[in-house]
Amino acid sequence: MADRPKALVTAPFRGEGLDKLEQLADVVYDPWIEQQPLRIYNSAQLAERIEREGANVVVVESDSVKGPVLDLPLVAVGSCRGDPNNVDVAAATARGIPVLRAPGRNADAVAELTVALLFAVNRGVVRADRDVREGEIYRDGTIPYQRFRAWQLAGRTAGLVGLGAVGRATRWRLEGLGMRVIAHDPYADDATHSLDDLLAEADVVSMHAMVTPETQGMISAAQFARMKDDAVYVNTARAMLHDTDALVRALESGTLGGAGLDHFEGEHLPTDHPLQSMSNVVLTPHIGGATYDTEANHSKLIADGLEQLLGGGKPDNLVNPEVLS
Ligand SMILES: NC(=O)c1ccc[n+]([C@@H]2O[C@H](COP(=O)([O-])OP(=O)(O)OC[C@H]3O[C@@H](n4cnc5c(N)ncnc54)[C@H](O)[C@@H]3O)[C@@H](O)[C@H]2O)c1
């Protein structure tokens, strides 16, 4: 390309990827994550900003890349997500605009939170912390050793439902803890179990599937009933994978030992929801991917992809390779 591109970057960018992008293009860096109140551009706002900056590359995380944005003469769009669902890819393709994505950027981050939730549930970490803070170490006349005994994770079986980027990053961590790890994924050659067999064998069931018509609600009353007594259920993927009412019933009946959840439908769990008062449930507000490493990873993936595109290559993370033919 003759002219040096100008990139508007509204995603958080850091590390090697930021350095490379600055070598490839003039960069206007204004990440959404440093804005308070929250600033997510709709398509009209983003189009206006791109025009104002005179940019021909745009790199976003959550801003909407649709409609008027794709009427602009863009050289490339970078979406710092595994699934670039904030981009109208069909419209970009129709206009010949390459779209880059960032697969697996947060796999290690989510896997680490999965392990954190599993330990927190299994060892009652949050409950124990509360007892200390409330001066209730000897709650109800017991000593902590009486209330906090648990089976160790080493030697137990973990069943992973979904063996994609996060599932794989979770598998080696749990194996490293001494767990036997089994997996169900109809699309992964190295998955070991049917869903029914996995549920019957696993002491820990951990969700790592994407949401599709096939996986939506895949863990419902019948699946909770099939799990071993006292099993721990962890979902750092999406709440849509399970039936929340059935999860509550399984916990209330005592058949399920506990749950760790990082996502709620609509991103919100009402404060009077039954899960809120269960001491064997640990709740986090969709923070699985929230690491600086995630930002460094997506920066590198997008900058590497852009470098290849500008050099006439076809990057692996190009969503619409047909624009190059
Ligand atoms: N908590 C967070 O902050 C956070 C961050 C990133 C991803 N996620 C979620 O984690 C999940 C996994 O993400 P990923 O990056 O590993 O995605 P991925 O696309 O790499 O993996 C998803 C896997 O699900 C499998 N799958 C499809 N249908 C299935 C079925 N019927 N049963 C079992 N497995 C099935 C696919 O074959 C694939 O291997 C997704 O739901 C994603 O939305 C959460």
Side-chain angles (χ1 to χ4, degrees):
M1 181 177 306
D3 295 331
R4 186 172 160 80
K6 185 164 189 186
L8 171 65
V9 179
T10 63
F13 240 57
R14 63 173 62 240
E16 212 184 298
L18 179 56
D19 296 344
K20 179 173 280 185
L21 191 68
E22 283 171 339
Q23 284 162 19
L24 293 169
D26 292 334
V27 175
V28 177
Y29 181 54
D30 184 15
W32 70 267
I33 208 153
E34 288 171 13
Q35 308 294 321
Q36 252 179 334
L38 191 64
R39 184 205 69 199
I40 305 292
Y41 286 138
N42 63 31
S43 295
Q45 293 165 327
L46 183 62
E48 189 278 323
R49 180 77 194 268
I50 295 168
E51 278 197 291
R52 183 152 44 91
E53 302 293 353
N56 57 356
V57 172
V58 64
V59 179
V60 298
E61 190 168 25
S62 298
D63 296 336
S64 176
V65 184
K66 297 179 184 172
V69 177
L70 298 168
D71 290 334
L72 300 173
L74 296 176
V75 173
V77 169
S79 175
C80 296
R81 319 168 69 87
D83 174 11
N85 54 16
N86 57 330
V87 181
D88 183 344
V89 175
T93 307
R95 287 165 180 73
I97 302 170
V99 177
L100 298 164
R101 68 183 186 109
R105 65 177 179 140
N106 46 21
D108 287 317
V110 181
E112 286 195 357
L113 189 77
T114 302
V115 176
L117 283 177
L118 177 52
F119 273 124
V121 173
N122 196 48
R123 300 300 297 272
V125 173
V126 176
R127 206 158 37 99
D129 173 272
R130 196 195 57 208
D131 284 358
V132 174
R133 289 168 197 263
E134 292 178 356
E136 290 284 359
I137 287 176
Y138 302 109
R139 193 180 282 280
D140 301 327
T142 62
I143 67 164
Y145 249 71
Q146 291 172 294
R147 302 193 304 278
F148 286 97
R149 280 174 303 161
W151 294 106
Q152 292 171 188
L153 295 179
R156 315 283 282 175
T157 297
L160 308 182
V161 180
L163 204 49
V166 177
R168 285 169 199 285
T170 302
R171 179 170 61 182
W172 66 257
R173 287 176 166 84
L174 297 183
E175 284 172 350
L177 294 173
M179 300 192 81
R180 170 180 171 251
V181 182
I182 59 178
H184 166 70
D185 186 329
Y187 309 100
D189 290 343
D190 51 343
T192 54
H193 281 56
S194 69
L195 182 60
D196 275 357
D197 289 348
L198 177 144
L199 297 174
E201 266 184 54
D203 300 294
V204 172
V205 175
S206 190
M207 301 304 293
H208 304 290
M210 59 180 72
V211 177
T212 66
E214 182 192 18
T215 61
Q216 198 153 357
M218 70 189 292
I219 306 296
S220 188
Q223 288 69 37
F224 285 117
R226 205 171 169 82
M227 290 180 197
K228 289 170 81 167
D229 279 354
D230 263 344
V232 171
Y233 177 74
V234 179
N235 188 345
T236 54
R238 286 289 183 274
M240 285 74 86
L241 297 174
H242 60 237
D243 174 340
T244 303
D245 293 340
L247 169 63
V248 168
R249 285 195 297 275
L251 287 160
E252 278 173 348
S253 71
T255 56
L256 194 61
L261 308 171
D262 185 47
H263 189 252
F264 316 108
E265 289 195 46
E267 304 289 331
H268 180 73
L269 189 70
T271 49
D272 60 354
H273 193 279
L275 288 171
Q276 298 271 13
S277 56
M278 295 181 179
S279 61
N280 54 346
V281 175
V282 179
L283 306 165
T284 51
H286 199 171
I287 57 170
T291 67
Y292 300 116
D293 307 77
T294 294
E295 296 172 7
N297 292 340
H298 72 215
S299 304
K300 182 161 176 11
L301 285 159
I302 298 296
D304 285 352
L306 189 65
E307 181 181 42
Q308 281 178 275
L309 270 182
L310 297 176
K314 192 187 279 189
D316 287 344
N317 59 336
L318 179 61
V319 182
N320 51 354
E322 57 271 40
V323 297
L324 299 183
S325 51

